Amino acid sequence: MVPSYTLTDDPEAQIYLSDFPAKATRTGWELHQKGAVVQLIQAVKGGSSFRAVVKEGTIHYPCNLHQDPTFGWEGSCDCLAGENCAHLCAALLTVLDRYFDSNETTPRRKVSGTAMGPSSPVSRSSRKVTPLEPTSPLMDRLLQSRGSKPGRPALTYVRRLQALFRRVSTTNGPLMVNDLTALGYTIQGYAWDPLILWPKAPSSDHELWLFIAWALRDRRLEIPEFMADVTDLSMIEPVMKQWHRDKEVAQWTRSLELTAREKPPQVHQPADLRLVIRAKNASLQWRTPPAESFKDLKPTQSRRLAQEDDVHRVGCSSFLPEAGILWLCCRDPYDEHARTELGYDDAESRGILNQLLRLPGLSERIVTETGQPLVRSTEPLRYSLTPAQTMEENYGLRLVQSDGSPAPEILLALPGNPPLYLTADTLFEGPKPHPFGLLKEISIPAPALETQAGVNLIAELGVSLPPRLAERTRRVLVQVKIYCDLKPTYPGSSREQVCIRVIAEQFDRASERFGADGWRPQSGARPTTSSLPKDGLIPIIDRSSQLQIPRLIESLEAKWVPYQNYWELRLTKTFPDVFIPWLASMPPEIEVLLDPELASLRSASLSGTVRLEIAESEVDWFDLQVVLDVAETELTPDELKLLLNAKGRYVRLGKKGWRRLQFDLSPEEEEQMARIGLDARDFSAEPQRLHALQLTDETAAKLLPPQQVEKIQRRAGELKARVAPKLPAAIRAELRPYQIEGFHFLAYLASNHFGGVLADDMGLGKTLQTLTWLAWLRSQKPADKDRSPQPSLVVCPKSVMDNWETEAGRFLPSLRVRRWQGEDAKELAEARGQFDLIVMNYSQLRALSPEIAAMRWQATILDEAQYIKNPDSQTAQVARALKADHRLALTGTPIENRLLDLWSIL
């Protein structure tokens, strides 16, 4: 066992050693006691730097120690730890014994020479004991507030604050972020960032702490509990508020001065732009102010406009609104100015023109060389094909206007929707541009055009084939097939996905697949010969089926998996609801190939006939079981049960795929079943509980065995009989007519084993009617003559418990009433044997759960039953667990917020 030890009474050393691990301080104290410091040298005579050698085992460890006037002790060692090790602890203790007295702040004279060997340490008991902390305003207040010596954490904290004050008062500088970090707080910023915490330097360490505490409060950081009694921020509040106010005023003064500073006037008028269509290019022109004439925009002027636009930084403020659109389209993103000329041979320029010409708002700013706006023709161009009569002749293909006259000279053809054709003064819409340049007319030899490639080009350009050529062609539809397979999401996974591959097949080309980047040829695929015409006719490839695929895949919301080259669709519970309508929307020319399990979604639904089996459950209640007869005998009883429970939705039956159940019921039969409370859409394998009165309908007689029908109808006749007993003799009150009617209603419910809700308004005597009903119940002869009547239970709000006790004593004095006081559940069993009625509140009911659920009552009565309007509440759950021969709810407000309130009470 290690004996108790005292490291040091020196405050600076205490702070330094407080960061050492406990094991290091314990081992260091032991080394010091053993004289393990074999060498100790004072680096400078009278100074505070020391070098020591500590022997541990057979190894010597050199150590360096230094005492800084501001930051205290620090040191390093050649061991693996490097700092805060046992060797530094032993060296420091030896330094304090040999060079310092506890009441000294400077080293005392060396004992001998500059190097010292081991010597017996100075006895701790012989050293003069002084307070661990020097006196200061902060320390005095801490001692005064606590009335006793503070603990070590408080002393260490105060010591660090004192060191900070000494540094601040010496250097007259601010604190830094790392100063608050050393106090245990996390402050944003670099460690050497200054913190401006006060309007003037603190005059004491206590005032320094108040400034720090004010800053911590502003940053929502908590101060240590032991500093709370010395933290009265009201002492500096006037100074701090005035300081913050002065800073706010100075900041606004500077801001207003900068805003009000006179700026040199800038004459700025927005420029106007227009685009001129010329024979070989389109060029920008500009003018400013608008009254001037337009001039060609030179690169120098373009740069100046770009610089002005950058200065304003509000989006084309240097231009009129429509001209700003021209500027944005023409501006080079990689240069500081706009393109002043757009050449027709440059691909990027053609793209810019394609955008500008399609903007109707710029029609007035795109002009001809004469300055007139470019005409936009409403009649599109078209292709005209001059046929060849023999194979030695040529076909002529040219653009013509709608009336058949030749089209003007085309300067530029722009693809898009629709394609555009630009002439010197007019912009036309037209057919798809052909790939052979802008010749007015191209002449194609008949042997070259009367081929598959030729007739396909003519068809793509929207030109009708001449009769001679049309007779020699046939249309061939590209065959599109969609393959759908079920696969695990990854090898060994229990989760599955649908993998969809879309393939287009042609007889003369390699097959194509549809992916995220559209239709692409399949690598390694070969042309198929399945659709090769054998009649010598020229095939015209019809790709209309391929054009429908993007829409179909998008509607399915499938995800493209690039490394697998297929579309992926997750298999969720709602998968059939999405996939089946998708299959139904498929055009007839597209073939969908499904694996066997998915193919089951195409098969017709299972047809089933229904018959009912009935079994008596409780008095006047019957369990109606739906029995399903299905012609398909491959399904097991468990699978039929799943189909029935699915209520008409698709169910996956293992490898048998998906099935769903539809009942062969006519609208008339559905209506008849609805009359007894049954709906084919709600059929399930679980029995449905119906009352005898629901089964007296003639529809039920057709579905049930005759002997059960007769029994049910006889019992229903008994239920419809009126029950009007006389008032019990034990009641000491004269009931009003409506109260007598309420009592008869309750007696009718009890005679037929019904529960009920008495929902009279407040003040109409629900309590008296219920007491009359209880007196009548107790007067009835029990079925078991040897069994005495069970007591009844009333659950009510705490505020009406006294009312029940008072009215029972007034109107039914023979009834023994026990007002429950909240005793343990064990007391309830004894009370049940001594009293006829127990009254408790809803809180007491919850406290007696679950024990009270095992007890049976003659009647349970819930007064102010809206307390259980929330069916998910604990009170409602405990109330539903009560066992009783009769149940009654009393309330003046059966529905407070929603229909669910009444449902919960019922």
Side-chain angles (χ1 to χ4, degrees), residues 669-688:
E669 290 173 328
E670 288 191 3
E671 181 180 358
Q672 290 175 346
M673 298 191 74
R675 293 175 59 183
I676 62 173
L678 297 177
D679 188 342
R681 288 178 292 275
D682 291 332
F683 282 165
S684 68
E686 299 299 323
Q688 300 190 47

Side-chain angles (χ1 to χ4, degrees), residues 840-850 867 873-876 878:
M840 64 177 60
N841 60 50
Y842 285 98
S843 298
Q844 294 169 342
L845 175 67
R846 292 194 301 270
L848 292 172
S849 178
Y867 271 69
S873 66
Q874 183 182 2
T875 303
V878 174

Side-chain angles (χ1 to χ4, degrees), residues 96-116:
L96 294 176
D97 276 345
R98 297 186 183 180
Y99 286 89
F100 291 83
D101 285 330
S102 60
N103 59 348
E104 290 179 342
T105 58
T106 56
R108 55 185 163 86
R109 191 178 55 182
K110 294 185 301 179
V111 176
S112 61
T114 57
M116 291 189 175

